[in-house]
Amino acid sequence: MADLVEIRWHGRGGQGAKTAALLLADVAFKTGKYVQGFPEYGPERMGAPITAYNRISSNEIRVHSNIYEPDFVVVVDSGLLDVVDVADGLKDNGAIVVNTHKSPEFIREKIGDYKGRIYTIDARKVSKACLGKYFPNTPMLAAIVKVSGVMDKDTFFNEMENSFSHKFSSKPEVIEGNMNALRMAYDEVKQEEQ
């Protein structure tokens, strides 16, 4: 892992992009990393485009600003591809992860000039199968951990289970559903064929 990894999340209010960014920061912190996880606030409301950010490093993080040149971008709602330039500033040696049932090759056509790697995950399918409802943030969290390599798979799953167990101690079915969603999403991330 590079010394500093910067991730930008694009979603809509109510989809859990902010929650996923904060969860990633929490889990990375528990592995001994220095972290930042924060949303960009504005006049957000349910369904409006929102942005959230993560910085994860082995060293102290001294910068406190939005992320303008991320290593990775997570797009929780593929409808934003027509509204927001999600690849703006994205490093060519990084990657973009999009929640869609469509192929990475299809997404390449929508993104335009971006030359880096493109991944997709059908977070709706995963969420419905494992949770019975559409909560895209859990599958997208697993997808970005896999794509970015910010932590190894076993550490990620163990820390997430601890976090869910604490948060949902009286609801074991919620813990199991979220863990299943993480595992399924981790396995189903698709990379564009080169």
Side-chain angles (χ1 to χ4, degrees):
M1 174 177 118
D3 182 51
L4 174 65
V5 174
E6 295 181 312
I7 301 169
R8 186 174 65 215
W9 296 76
H10 292 280
R12 292 189 183 275
Q15 292 180 323
K18 172 185 142 185
T19 301
L22 296 177
L23 261 172
L24 180 55
D26 186 50
V27 168
F29 177 76
K30 290 177 181 172
T31 68
K33 300 291 183 190
Y34 290 89
V35 300
Q36 291 178 352
F38 56 97
E40 179 178 2
Y41 284 109
E44 283 83 11
R45 61 196 182 286
M46 189 70 77
I50 67 107
T51 309
Y53 304 93
N54 283 113
R55 284 191 180 93
I56 301 170
S57 179
S58 300
N59 299 311
E60 188 174 345
I61 301 170
R62 297 184 184 275
V63 62
H64 298 280
S65 67
N66 290 348
I67 296 171
Y68 301 102
E69 295 181 347
D71 300 293
F72 301 95
V73 167
V74 182
V75 181
V76 181
D77 185 322
S78 62
L80 291 172
L81 296 173
D82 298 322
V83 179
V84 177
D85 182 3
V86 297
D88 183 41
L90 179 57
K91 296 174 183 167
D92 283 342
N93 63 348
I96 187 167
V97 182
V98 180
N99 171 14
T100 182
H101 66 279
K102 297 188 172 146
S103 71
E105 292 76 17
F106 177 84
I107 299 302
R108 167 79 59 201
E109 293 175 22
K110 298 212 42 112
I111 291 179
D113 293 339
Y114 177 63
K115 306 288 186 236
R117 296 172 291 146
I118 295 177
Y119 296 83
T120 60
I121 176 69
D122 189 345
R124 179 178 298 278
K125 179 182 93 172
V126 171
S127 181
K128 293 262 190 172
C130 298
L131 300 167
K133 293 183 180 177
Y134 182 45
F135 297 110
N137 60 340
T138 299
M140 295 309 291
L141 179 56
I144 192 57
V145 167
K146 180 176 185 174
V147 169
S148 68
V150 294
M151 70 186 72
D152 72 74
K153 179 180 178 179
D154 292 336
T155 300
F156 172 63
F157 288 148
N158 288 338
E159 291 300 334
M160 286 304 298
E161 188 161 21
N162 290 339
S163 180
F164 289 147
S165 295
H166 177 73
K167 187 173 182 178
F168 302 113
S169 60
S170 63
K171 299 178 182 177
E173 70 282 357
V174 173
I175 299 166
E176 182 180 353
N178 275 287
M179 290 308 300
N180 289 340
L182 290 173
R183 289 186 189 98
M184 184 176 176
Y186 200 95
D187 292 339
E188 291 203 10
V189 174
K190 294 183 181 106
Q191 182 176 5
E192 178 181 33
E193 294 186 21
Q194 301 295 326

